[in-house]
Amino acid sequence: MSSGGGGRRKKGGHEEHEEHVNHERWLVSYADMLTLLFVLFVVLFSMSSVDQKKFAELAAGLSEGFGASSAAFQGNVSNLDGAGQASTVVPIDPGVNPGSGGGGTAGMTKEQKEAVARAVQAADRAEASKDAKAATKEAEDLKKLENKLADALEKSKLLNQVKFTIDRRGLVVTIVTNEVVFAGNRADLQAGGRKILDALAPTLAKLPNNIEVDGNTNQLKATTTFYPSGWELSAARASVTVRYLIDHGLAKNRMSAVGLSDTKPLIDPRDPRAVTMNRRVDVVILTTLTPEQAALLPSAAGDDAKLHTGETSAKAKAAADAAAKAEAGTTEPTTESTTTTTHD
């Protein structure tokens, strides 16, 4: 029998010892923390030194992965029109705050600023060329419209009652009102005025353009009988003309009436013809161009920017044929005779 509880059990012939408490286990956690901190600083260090080549390859791979090939990612250089073969690339600093005043050409070298200037000039030239082409095309279309209106007026024997001009607003059809369209100091359409508008209305009704009617008086200081001043008289004449055109097929939402009194003379008030020529109604077929393009219309129109009698389609065709024949004559090859001089 074993005596007392103090005896120890034996297992397999070996004496079993009691476990001792480990008081140094905190070193394991401490070592793990140091290892993690070391890894953290290694990663931060590796991120601070970027391999430009590898970064470009990564960016290109990402770009292709999203289905686009970007010159900005790949570092390719694309020359702008008009910049020649300049290959100077203007770097963009992603750290610049657009609102801090540190953007733009600040901090650029002279070559980089010149590259920016060339790019801006190339863009301006391209835009100016686009505007000039649009103005030229519009001037040609307005001239064709003049031909159609002149054909209608010629058919009614009224072509000499109307003048045409192309300005920045569009095609201006000037109807001289001297006792033909309106009586003196009155805004009631005369029979002659109705005939002119009847000839113009069918062609104008087919246009998509907006139309402005301007009433104008001459510079005579005579007192108006039925209206307080020339402002009311000119506005009334413009309004009557607009209402007549609407009644003959033109859409109301395309029309506007403007009274200008004597502020827009057609010719110099000192000219004896001013009494009759400046007393008029202008029907303006407004252009659809942008303001920048419309400013080029007078230059694109050439002689048609001056007040002139309308050219019919037949006269326009004859003039075009004559010009083509003259051009063909100047391009025909000429045979020059050669002479040989013998000296004794």
Side-chain angles (χ1 to χ4, degrees), residues 152-153 156 158 180 189-201 244:
L153 292 167
S156 301
L158 297 169
V180 174
L189 270 172
Q190 302 278 73
R194 290 194 294 271
K195 289 181 180 179
I196 294 174
L197 295 180
D198 288 342
L200 297 175
Y244 190 87

Side-chain angles (χ1 to χ4, degrees), residues 57-70 73-74:
E57 292 175 355
L58 174 62
L62 291 174
S63 176
E64 293 176 359
F66 283 103
S69 180
S70 172
F73 278 128
Q74 297 173 3

Side-chain angles (χ1 to χ4, degrees), residues 3-4 20 35 42 57 61-62 87 91 108 113 132 135 168 188 193 216 222 231 247 254 256 269 278-279 281 292:
S3 61
H20 296 282
T35 303
V42 168
E57 292 175 355
L62 291 174
S87 59
M108 291 184 181
K113 291 180 179 179
R168 64 173 57 204
D188 301 319
N216 297 268
W231 290 106
D247 292 340
R254 292 172 45 212
S256 61
N278 290 339
R279 183 171 171 265
V281 170
E292 293 77 13

Side-chain angles (χ1 to χ4, degrees), residues 187-252:
D188 301 319
L189 270 172
Q190 302 278 73
R194 290 194 294 271
K195 289 181 180 179
I196 294 174
L197 295 180
D198 288 342
L200 297 175
T203 301
L204 296 178
K206 298 175 183 177
L207 300 176
N209 306 62
N210 291 332
I211 296 176
E212 175 184 297
V213 177
D214 297 341
N216 297 268
T217 61
N218 56 29
Q219 285 71 38
L220 293 179
K221 301 303 180 182
T223 304
T224 54
T225 305
F226 303 99
Y227 296 91
S229 69
W231 290 106
E232 290 80 5
L233 176 59
S234 61
R237 287 174 173 173
S239 299
V240 168
T241 303
V242 165
R243 189 168 67 250
Y244 190 87
L245 291 173
I246 291 173
D247 292 340
H248 287 75
L250 275 74
K252 181 188 297 186

Side-chain angles (χ1 to χ4, degrees), residues 108-284:
M108 291 184 181
T109 65
K110 180 181 179 182
E111 292 75 12
Q112 291 169 342
K113 291 180 179 179
E114 291 175 352
V116 172
R118 287 196 296 269
V120 172
Q121 290 172 2
D124 290 344
R125 285 196 297 270
E127 189 66 24
S129 177
K130 178 182 176 182
D131 291 346
K133 290 179 180 178
T136 300
K137 178 66 167 56
E138 180 74 352
E140 293 173 353
D141 292 341
L142 292 177
K143 184 63 179 180
K144 292 177 182 177
L145 175 58
E146 175 195 312
N147 297 150
K148 292 180 180 180
L149 294 173
D151 290 342
L153 292 167
E154 177 69 15
K155 186 177 180 180
S156 301
K157 309 298 182 185
L158 297 169
L159 187 56
N160 63 334
Q161 300 291 335
V162 176
K163 301 294 182 182
F164 293 87
T165 317
I166 294 177
D167 62 18
R168 64 173 57 204
R169 296 176 297 168
L171 178 64
V172 182
V173 184
T174 296
I175 305 171
V176 178
T177 66
N178 187 37
E179 303 301 331
V180 174
V181 183
F182 295 103
N185 290 327
R186 302 300 295 263
D188 301 319
L189 270 172
Q190 302 278 73
R194 290 194 294 271
K195 289 181 180 179
I196 294 174
L197 295 180
D198 288 342
L200 297 175
T203 301
L204 296 178
K206 298 175 183 177
L207 300 176
N209 306 62
N210 291 332
I211 296 176
E212 175 184 297
V213 177
D214 297 341
N216 297 268
T217 61
N218 56 29
Q219 285 71 38
L220 293 179
K221 301 303 180 182
T223 304
T224 54
T225 305
F226 303 99
Y227 296 91
S229 69
W231 290 106
E232 290 80 5
L233 176 59
S234 61
R237 287 174 173 173
S239 299
V240 168
T241 303
V242 165
R243 189 168 67 250
Y244 190 87
L245 291 173
I246 291 173
D247 292 340
H248 287 75
L250 275 74
K252 181 188 297 186
N253 60 352
R254 292 172 45 212
M255 305 295 297
S256 61
V258 180
L260 298 173
S261 186
D262 60 354
T263 60
K264 302 291 181 181
L266 189 64
I267 60 177
D268 191 332
R270 294 171 296 183
D271 191 309
R273 299 172 299 165
V275 176
T276 56
M277 293 295 293
N278 290 339
R279 183 171 171 265
R280 70 194 191 279
V281 170
D282 291 334
V283 179
V284 187

Side-chain angles (χ1 to χ4, degrees), residues 277-341:
M277 293 295 293
N278 290 339
R279 183 171 171 265
R280 70 194 191 279
V281 170
D282 291 334
V283 179
V284 187
I285 296 91
L286 299 175
T287 180
T288 57
L289 296 178
T290 64
E292 293 77 13
Q293 295 169 343
L296 302 175
L297 262 179
S299 298
D303 291 339
D304 291 321
K306 301 175 183 178
L307 191 69
H308 60 279
T309 302
E311 185 179 45
T312 62
S313 298
K315 289 183 178 179
K317 186 178 184 305
D321 291 342
K325 188 177 294 184
E327 180 68 20
T330 58
T331 57
E332 290 180 356
T334 56
T335 305
E336 296 181 358
S337 59
T338 58
T339 57
T340 304
T341 304

